[in-house]
Amino acid sequence: MSRRRQLRRTLSRLLLLAPVTTLGAGCDYTGCDGKNTHQETFVIADLRSSDGGTPPAGASCEELCATVGGSAPCSLVRSDGGVTADQVKCEVSYLCEGRRPEGLCSDGAVAGQVPMLGALFAKMAHLEAASVPAFERLAEELAAHGAPHRLVRAARRAAREEVRHARAMQSLAARHGAPMPEVSVAPFTARSLEALALENAVEGCVRETFGALLAGWQARRAGDVAVREALATIAPDELRHAELSWAIHAWALDRLAPEARARVEEAQREAWLALERESAESRLPEHVAREAGLPAPDVALQLVRELARSLAAGGTARA
């Protein structure tokens, strides 16, 4: 079976799980400071414990944040200037995927207090926008290393598509009160074929492939119809980008020395494990995840593991 057919079959099978109730997950980032969190304020009276009751009087901010999937650092807030705290500020984390360029130094965070859903879409817009220079550079490097013209053309097409994706996510962010974050990428320098292959194995074969699955999931599960419509358009493009990543992977590995090939394959295995950890640790309040259509952490972890297992099993598949 070809890699393309295997990838499409795997994603189609995993998307059948989409009716599972969604509870968490969001947008990952690894840049100059490694942050992938957002501070959100919650009204204490609206919080509910796991049994459906209200948190006990005198609960700490850590206990209150746990009811919404948040964590420390946290703080209690007196919004009306009274003596009793009526709000709690918690830190929540995101998980969303896509191809990140080497040298990405912006984290997609928005300044000031914005709704969490807006902050989530702003991070997604930032990641889509960062994918534009990533694919532009990839096209240039593929051409420089003598890759087939079809791969170069596909990378250039992907860059154009990411412009459209960024605009769609920017529109969703603005709809929920968040501005478009600035994208900052350090100047590119020439790289070896091994360096190209290593980045592609991690950012393309792992993170972009999972990103394609997430896009399809959101297109089916988002409570916000605007999100479903936007992701329904984006998901097919992201699937093609994942297919491109695996085609580049096969082409590059055939041209690397055995030692370099082993390093690339090991980096890819480590990337799957890192994605497992991020999926399991990601948390978002239920209403945010529901509107965005993102899977619960345990479901996201299941998806990552099954995706990795299925694609590893087809390691000898043709591109």
Side-chain angles (χ1 to χ4, degrees), residues 108-111 113-114 118-119 121-123 125 169-170 173-174 176-182:
V110 291
Q113 289 292 324
V114 300
F121 289 129
K123 276 189 173 277
M169 291 300 102
Q170 180 180 0
H176 292 280
M180 175 67 187
E182 181 180 353

Side-chain angles (χ1 to χ4, degrees), residues 18-20 22 117 120-121 124 169 172 175-176 214-232 287-295:
V20 175
T22 59
L117 200 54
L120 170 61
F121 289 129
M124 294 175 71
M169 291 300 102
L172 289 176
R175 187 166 175 261
H176 292 280
L214 277 185
W217 190 283
Q218 289 179 271
R220 293 175 178 230
R221 292 295 298 157
D224 186 331
V225 64
V227 177
R228 292 200 305 272
E229 291 175 350
L231 271 297
H287 74 281
V288 176
R290 181 176 59 251
E291 290 301 293
L294 290 161

Side-chain angles (χ1 to χ4, degrees), residues 95-243:
L95 172 72
C96 85
E97 294 305 326
R99 181 181 288 268
R100 305 164 301 185
E102 180 183 82
L104 177 61
C105 290
S106 50
D107 63 3
V110 291
Q113 289 292 324
V114 300
M116 190 184 301
L117 200 54
L120 170 61
F121 289 129
K123 276 189 173 277
M124 294 175 71
H126 173 267
L127 187 58
E128 297 285 5
S131 295
V132 176
F135 276 115
E136 290 174 342
R137 180 192 195 184
L138 181 62
E140 293 176 2
E141 290 185 309
L142 288 171
H145 286 291
H149 291 308
R150 61 182 176 83
L151 297 182
V152 178
R153 287 195 304 270
R156 288 173 177 157
R157 174 183 176 179
R160 294 192 297 270
E161 290 170 341
E162 294 292 6
V163 172
R164 176 164 46 81
H165 299 176
R167 289 172 179 165
M169 291 300 102
Q170 180 180 0
S171 177
L172 289 176
R175 187 166 175 261
H176 292 280
M180 175 67 187
E182 181 180 353
V183 177
S184 175
V185 181
F188 294 143
T189 57
R191 297 185 298 181
S192 66
L193 179 59
E194 180 182 346
L196 181 158
L198 194 150
E199 181 184 73
N200 180 73
V202 173
E203 299 296 332
C205 297
V206 175
R207 294 188 176 274
E208 186 127 44
T209 299
F210 186 58
L213 177 57
L214 277 185
W217 190 283
Q218 289 179 271
R220 293 175 178 230
R221 292 295 298 157
D224 186 331
V225 64
V227 177
R228 292 200 305 272
E229 291 175 350
L231 271 297
T233 300
I234 290 173
D237 295 343
E238 296 296 350
L239 175 56
R240 284 196 301 272
H241 300 175
E243 292 169 347

Side-chain angles (χ1 to χ4, degrees), residues 238-284:
E238 296 296 350
L239 175 56
R240 284 196 301 272
H241 300 175
E243 292 169 347
L244 171 61
S245 298
W246 285 99
I248 292 171
H249 186 65
W251 169 80
L253 289 188
D254 281 346
R255 286 153 182 79
L256 291 176
E259 298 82 2
R261 178 174 181 148
R263 288 191 290 269
V264 170
E265 292 175 333
E266 177 61 23
Q268 188 178 79
R269 286 190 290 270
E270 289 297 323
W272 283 119
L273 293 175
L275 188 55
E276 283 189 16
R277 292 191 294 270
E278 293 164 14
S279 300
E281 294 170 359
S282 177
R283 294 292 186 276
L284 277 181

Side-chain angles (χ1 to χ4, degrees), residues 31-87:
C32 293
D33 61 9
K35 294 180 179 178
N36 63 340
T37 59
H38 174 71
Q39 284 282 322
E40 180 74 3
T41 301
F42 301 91
V43 177
I44 295 176
D46 294 340
L47 302 182
R48 293 293 180 269
S49 57
S50 58
D51 60 4
T54 57
S60 66
C61 70
E62 289 85 358
E63 292 171 323
L64 293 171
C65 288
T67 66
V68 293
S71 62
C74 60
S75 60
L76 297 172
V77 180
R78 299 176 180 85
S79 64
D80 58 0
V83 296
T84 304
D86 60 344
Q87 296 180 348

